Amino acid sequence: MHGDSPYDPEDGDWQTLATFFSPTEAYLLRGCLQAGGVPAVVADAHLVQTHSLLAGAIQVRVLVPERRVADAEAVMAAYQRGDFSLPDDELPPA
């Protein structure tokens, strides 16, 4: 699945921000990070999907540039609070 942010050497190397057992959760966080202006990449999702028997041992990683970790942590905290959720009774904009 494409949609990962491009690598920018000025932002530093990719660092693991969070890990998930579900690729879907990793992709959701990546989207929230990108919406918050933080470059993000999902790693190992295809490995987990291909080797489903190992899914409990291999986690999907969400990576961000090392110079953007503080920004990413703030966006992740907002994600965990539910700031990116849609109300159940409202349709998203078309």
Side-chain angles (χ1 to χ4, degrees):
M1 184 172 222
H2 191 61
D4 289 335
S5 299
Y7 173 69
D8 182 354
E10 292 185 14
D11 280 337
D13 292 333
W14 294 111
Q15 301 291 315
T16 300
L17 175 69
T19 58
F20 299 95
F21 288 110
S22 166
T24 302
E25 291 180 73
Y27 287 122
L28 284 171
L29 178 58
R30 181 192 69 187
C32 291
L33 288 163
Q34 290 172 336
V38 178
V41 171
V42 171
D44 302 326
H46 297 297
L47 183 62
V48 169
Q49 291 170 331
T50 301
H51 301 287
S52 59
L53 293 176
L54 297 176
I58 303 169
Q59 294 187 348
V60 181
R61 298 175 293 146
V62 177
L63 309 171
V64 297
E66 63 185 335
R67 291 190 180 99
R68 302 295 302 276
V69 170
D71 297 333
E73 288 172 341
V75 171
M76 188 169 69
Y79 169 71
Q80 291 171 336
R81 278 193 312 268
D83 292 359
F84 290 91
S85 65
L86 296 172
D88 289 335
D89 59 349
E90 183 179 317
L91 295 175

